[in-house]
Amino acid sequence: MSEPDTITSLETKTRPWWLRIPLTLQIAIALLLAVSLGIALGGGNPSPENATFIANLAIPAELVLKALRALATPLILVAVLHTFMTTTIPGTAGRRLAVLLLTNTTVAILIGLLVANVLHPGSWGTLAAPTNAEAVASHSLDPWGLFKDAVPDAILKPLVDNNVIQLIVIALSFGIVLRALKSEQIAQGKNAYQPIEDVIAILFEAVIRILNWVIALVPLAVFGIVAKTVAEKGFAPFQSLAAFIIAVLVALALQACYYLTRVQFGSWVNPIRFLMGGSDAFMTAFSTSSSTVTMPITFEVLQTKIGLRESSASLGALVGANFNNDGTALYEAMSALYISQVIGQHLDLGQQLIVVLTSIFASVGAAGIPNAGLVTMTLVFTSVGLPTQYIALLVTVDWFLDRCRTAINVMGDMTVSALLDGKKPRTLDEA
Ligand code: ASP
């Protein structure tokens, strides 16, 4: 989803100095300090008198996770409404776009699940058990139940229950209707829709600002959870996380190959030209971890360096940056499978299908901002009864994997643009 334009410079200028240190550097410092503290507290052999202190080190991570879980549903709701109110998609191109987005995201999730099933990163090491483990209910796939459950009992219930499928149903219904009302009013020369549009924009901005506060606490959460893990279990858990990083990178690379193949066979663009021309956008995505911030560059390179028509560039880049987050979808599905492997809570085929479905919805709802995938991941975990506390451990590697999946999110948007542009290059008249 796009970040409202107004959040930015003023807030940045008035931030205290420690918040102006780049988040990655803050996390790196937190990691170093945490490892030192963890070793000092026993490095895998803690003495019993430190037990309470060590256990309490998990508190910041628990609070951050609770906040992320609480913010996930309002973020998805206002983000989807905001996109519908502010983006114009022409009819037929819209249908083609929807099909492309859905296929690419599904392929991404299937690649993620395939790699996680084959490499089985969760069995390469052990992970610390979560503190206050949630009661884990086993959810198996019941297609009729899922269908019956797609409509909530009350409009606000999905917000309270953190039910992503119901939430998307509500968000899409209101989004489509509000959009239609806006168009009708514009045609009649009226503007009664404007206050609603403004309220949605303000709410969207407010949720993102609160999310930014929570993200600012991530280094503290990483510090606590890593210090606790090292103190209690030593370094063995990190072996398993390293395996997870490798598995995610392999899956993202496969997804990139899939994009290039589609570009080769589905558009006039040569894959090498696509890669070279898009390099500025990929680098920006990697360095900012935000596909929304990268969006203007994506749009620019699609037109000037790759040579697509403006209409396809804008549909892929602008709409894609809002709805198309294949890297995020792949990552969320892999995280769920990885954690299920770590804790030995096998997810059968039906449950993996639920993961596919919820990851599609969760990636549609993920904002194009740093760490947004972590927020909506809580919903994927809940859908199959996985304990969300484990996400705290994933936070320690998210700063790096977020960059990689953001680059793939952007590449996905560019692929959609190239496919929409078709098999014939732009003529001079169209330029
Ligand atoms: N950072 C990603 C993006 O901007 C979203 C995510 O966290 O997965 O596209």
Side-chain angles (χ1 to χ4, degrees), residues 69-70 73-75 77 155-163 167:
R69 262 195 316 247
T73 40
L75 177 67
L77 182 65
I155 287 196
L156 293 182
K157 204 151 176 269
L159 279 174
V160 179
D161 294 348
N162 277 0
N163 183 321
L167 185 76

Side-chain angles (χ1 to χ4, degrees), residues 289-292 325 328 366-374 402 405-406 409:
S289 299
S290 167
S291 41
T292 299
N325 295 309
T328 305
I369 53 172
N371 304 103
L374 270 186
D402 188 14
R405 66 177 185 258
T406 306
N409 285 346

Side-chain angles (χ1 to χ4, degrees), residues 96-110 255 258 262 326 419:
R96 174 113 209 272
L97 181 70
V99 173
L100 285 175
L101 298 185
L102 195 65
T103 14
N104 287 354
T105 308
T106 312
V107 169
I109 296 173
L110 294 180
Q255 179 70 10
Y258 162 77
R262 290 225 57 182
D326 300 342
L419 295 174

Side-chain angles (χ1 to χ4, degrees), residues 99-128:
V99 173
L100 285 175
L101 298 185
L102 195 65
T103 14
N104 287 354
T105 308
T106 312
V107 169
I109 296 173
L110 294 180
I111 289 180
L113 290 181
L114 181 77
V115 172
N117 276 308
V118 172
L119 295 186
H120 228 275
S123 53
W124 291 21
T126 52
L127 269 188

Side-chain angles (χ1 to χ4, degrees), residues 98-246:
V99 173
L100 285 175
L101 298 185
L102 195 65
T103 14
N104 287 354
T105 308
T106 312
V107 169
I109 296 173
L110 294 180
I111 289 180
L113 290 181
L114 181 77
V115 172
N117 276 308
V118 172
L119 295 186
H120 228 275
S123 53
W124 291 21
T126 52
L127 269 188
T131 41
N132 313 328
E134 293 161 13
V136 178
S138 150
H139 297 225
S140 52
L141 181 71
D142 165 14
W144 289 113
L146 217 58
F147 186 56
K148 237 170 52 193
D149 203 36
V151 177
D153 295 331
I155 287 196
L156 293 182
K157 204 151 176 269
L159 279 174
V160 179
D161 294 348
N162 277 0
N163 183 321
V164 68
I165 297 185
Q166 292 181 351
L167 185 76
I168 291 280
V169 170
I170 294 289
L172 287 181
S173 314
F174 274 89
I176 291 169
V177 168
L178 286 174
R179 177 75 219 183
L181 286 174
K182 175 178 172 179
S183 308
E184 282 164 25
Q185 292 202 347
I186 291 178
Q188 294 161 4
K190 296 184 190 156
N191 66 353
Y193 66 88
Q194 196 60 52
I196 298 278
E197 186 171 322
D198 293 345
V199 166
I200 291 172
I202 295 267
L203 282 179
F204 187 28
E205 182 169 333
V207 177
I208 291 192
R209 282 203 190 186
I210 299 176
L211 187 62
N212 283 338
W213 294 348
V214 180
I215 302 282
L217 293 176
V218 161
L220 188 65
V222 168
F223 169 76
I225 200 80
V226 172
K228 175 177 183 285
T229 310
V230 173
E232 286 177 346
K233 312 268 169 186
F235 291 95
F238 296 100
Q239 221 172 311
S240 162
L241 279 173
F244 176 62
I245 295 180
I246 294 171

Side-chain angles (χ1 to χ4, degrees), residues 33 71 222 253 384:
L33 295 176
L71 284 172
V222 168
V384 282

